[in-house]
Amino acid sequence: MQHDRMVNLMRAAVAREYGSPSVLSVEDVPVPVPEAGQMLVRVRAAALNPADLRSLSGVMKELAPLTFPHVPGSDFAGTVVELGAGVTRFAVGDEVFGVGLPRATEAMAAMLSTPPSLTTGAMAEYAVFEADTPALALRPSGLAPEHAATLPIPGLTALAVVRAGGFSPGERVLVIGAAGGVGGTTVPLLAAARLHVIATALPEDEDYVRRLGAAEVIDYRALDTVAESLRRYPDGVDAVVNLALPGAALVSVSEAIRPEGRLLNAAFPSPDPSDFDRADLTVQTVLSHARPGDLDQLAAQAMTGILPSTISRWFSLEQTPQAYTELADAHVRGKLLVTAGR
C-alpha cells in the first residue's frame, strides 16, 4: 500500500508546552514527511510509558529538551506506508514494531540504540521513524500489533536486567513493582531463567503477578517489604530488581540483600552507589538498550507465551490525554494501550 499524499493532515496527541497530561490535546496536524534514511508508518497501536510523562513534565529538559509542538509516544506497531531516500531495510507494506524517542532527545536516544532511534511521536495516526536501527523490527504475522506495541521498552529493559544480573538458576530475586509495565516482561524472563521470584504487589494484583511467574508475593502496603523478606529469608535474597521506587528509597531496601548480593535498578531517579554503606553490594542502574535481534527475540517469546499480553486498558487516539492522566494518577496494572489510525 502506497501512502496517499492527498491525506496531508492527521489526528495526533499534541503538547505545546511542558506540563501534566492536561496540556495534551488531540488535533489535526500535518502528516510528517520521511527524509533520507527514514520511513513513514501508519500507527496501529501505541503503548504508554512513564518516560513519556517524564519528558512531558520538563524534569528531563536539561538533558533532553523537547521541541514544541510535541507528540508523545515511543512504543508502537504499524505499517510502513512511505520510504525516504536510501531505505532498503524495509518496504512499503511491511508490518513493523519498535521504539523511537523524540527527535529533540538524540543524545538520550543514543543510549537506547546505535544508530539512535528517533520519531515524530507515536501517539498519532502516522509517525516517521529512522529505518536503520535495531530498535525497530518486522512484526511477525503471529504477533498481534497491540501485543507487539507493549514489548519494546519493557522488554528491552527486562533483557538488560537479565544480562546485567549474572543470575544462576535457583537464586532468589525480589522484584519491586512487579505489577507495572516493565514488570510484565521482567518477571516472566526471570522466571524463564529458573529464578525464584518474590514480587511486591497489591492483593488485587497477586494472581496477575503469579501468572507472570512470581513464586511469592509481598503486599507492600500491608507489610514492610524488607522486614517481610528477611522474615522469609533471614540470610537475605540474592538480588533486588527495582522497577518502581526512587533511588533514595533503595538504601533501606538493600538491607534485604545477602552479603555479596546485587541491586539492579531500572527506575527513575537512579540511586547514587556512594549512598550505600556496603562495600560488598553491587549497585547498578540498568537502561533499555536494543541490540540487533533483541526485538525479534521478544517477539518470539511473546508468540510462545513466555511474554503474555499485559494490556489492562485500551483507549482510542482521541482518548490519549485521558490515558496519560490515568497513567499519572491511578494504580496501573500492566500496560495502557492507544489504538490509532482512521
Side-chain angles (χ1 to χ4, degrees):
M1 178 181 69
Q2 179 66 42
H3 175 57
D4 182 358
R5 264 293 161 214
M6 296 299 291
V7 181
N8 57 6
L9 290 178
M10 66 176 185
R11 298 293 281 172
V14 177
R16 300 190 179 275
E17 61 182 334
Y18 286 114
S20 70
S22 65
V23 303
L24 290 168
S25 61
V26 180
E27 307 174 9
D28 287 323
V29 298
V31 174
V33 178
E35 299 177 355
Q38 299 175 341
M39 61 186 186
L40 181 67
V41 172
R42 183 175 180 178
V43 179
R44 296 185 61 180
L48 283 69
N49 287 296
D52 301 343
L53 292 175
R54 289 198 295 273
S55 295
L56 185 62
S57 73
V59 69
M60 306 291 290
K61 64 182 176 182
E62 295 300 322
L63 176 64
L66 300 179
T67 57
F68 296 100
H70 167 67
V71 177
S74 298
D75 285 2
F76 80 99
T79 308
V80 177
V81 293
E82 187 175 335
L83 302 175
V87 175
T88 58
R89 183 180 174 209
F90 297 105
V92 169
D94 281 350
E95 297 294 334
V96 295
F97 77 109
V99 52
L101 298 185
R103 285 177 169 177
T105 65
E106 186 166 357
M108 182 176 293
M111 295 185 286
L112 171 67
S113 66
T114 304
S117 187
L118 304 172
T119 183
T120 53
M123 294 298 169
E125 291 181 304
Y126 295 92
V128 163
F129 294 87
E130 306 295 323
D132 187 21
T133 165
L136 269 62
L138 290 170
R139 175 179 63 83
S141 59
L143 178 63
E146 296 81 8
H147 192 174
T150 68
L151 293 175
I153 285 182
L156 294 172
T157 302
L159 286 177
V161 166
V162 171
R163 289 164 177 162
F167 299 111
S168 299
E171 286 193 305
R172 295 185 292 263
V173 181
L174 174 63
V175 179
I176 297 174
V182 178
T185 52
T186 302
V187 172
L189 291 190
L190 293 174
R194 294 183 292 158
L195 302 175
H196 184 88
V197 177
I198 307 134
T200 70
L202 297 176
E204 57 263 37
D205 295 330
E206 178 168 352
D207 288 345
Y208 170 74
V209 296
R210 286 188 182 276
R211 288 196 301 271
L212 292 177
E216 301 181 56
V217 180
I218 295 176
D219 178 355
Y220 62 87
R221 283 189 183 165
L223 300 169
D224 179 277
T225 298
V226 173
E228 178 62 15
S229 181
L230 289 172
R231 185 190 70 79
R232 300 183 190 187
Y233 301 102
D235 295 333
V237 296
D238 297 290
V240 166
V241 173
N242 176 53
L243 307 177
L245 294 177
L250 298 179
V251 175
S252 60
V253 171
S254 67
E255 297 172 8
I257 304 173
R258 65 162 175 81
E260 308 295 332
R262 291 96 78 205
L263 172 59
L264 298 168
N265 173 62
F268 177 87
S270 304
D272 185 342
S274 66
D275 290 342
F276 296 82
D277 188 24
R278 283 184 55 181
D280 68 290
L281 183 67
T282 299
V283 178
Q284 183 177 356
T285 289
V286 177
L287 301 175
S288 302
H289 183 73
R291 299 179 182 179
D294 278 354
L295 289 179
D296 300 314
Q297 176 183 337
L298 293 171
Q301 290 170 318
M303 288 189 293
T304 58
I306 294 174
L307 295 177
S309 175
T310 60
I311 302 167
S312 61
R313 288 286 305 278
W314 302 59
F315 298 84
S316 69
L317 180 58
E318 299 295 323
Q319 295 173 315
T320 301
Q322 175 187 337
Y324 275 113
T325 297
E326 183 164 319
L327 181 64
D329 297 340
H331 171 72
V332 174
R333 174 196 299 170
K335 298 293 292 183
L336 304 181
L337 190 81
V338 167
T339 53
R342 294 186 187 275

